[in-house]
Structure formats: C-alpha cells, structure tokens
Amino acid sequence: MNMFKTLFLICSLLISTAFAAVNINKASAEDISKELKGIGIVKATAIVSYRDKNGPFKTKEQLTEVKGVGLKTVEKNRDNILLK
C-alpha cells in the first residue's frame, strides 16, 4: 500500500508542476500559451492584444473579456495566473 501512496504522490507532483505560473500582464503570447492549459497561441495573442488596448488585467476573471477565454479556462488555470 505504501508503494501506491508514493506513486500517487509522485504523479500528483508531476502533474502540478507541468505548468508554471505566468504573469499575464507582462508575459509574451508564447509564454502565456506555453504555461496555461487550454490557451493556444491564438488565444494568448488575443490576451496580449487586449492587455495592450485596455491596460493590465486587474483580476483573473477579467480574462473572460478576451474572446475565446471562458470562466472554465480561468478556473482551470487560477493557480498559474499571476497579475503582478
């Protein structure tokens, strides 16, 4: 049973570190698409364009104002989205 707990712990750590936190107010589209789940280069480019037109994001939920980014995507990435 200990082996299964250890294996589970290792898998959990690997999954949680697969994506790193990214500052959406400073990162390039390439970095955003690499670090956030469900965000490809097209959506990441839209995030950067929105930021350039409207200024920095004040909340994580504000990402839903970007076409193609929904609340489920924000929730999935909440721990990896930095604002500062």
Side-chain angles (χ1 to χ4, degrees), residues 64-77:
T64 62
E65 296 175 18
V66 177
K67 185 178 179 179
V69 180
L71 191 55
K72 284 184 181 182
T73 301
V74 173
E75 289 302 324
K76 196 174 8 176
N77 290 289

Side-chain angles (χ1 to χ4, degrees), residues 42-57:
V42 173
K43 287 182 190 176
T45 301
I47 289 169
V48 171
S49 294
Y50 181 93
R51 179 182 75 202
D52 290 345
K53 288 180 187 173
N54 300 291
F57 292 92

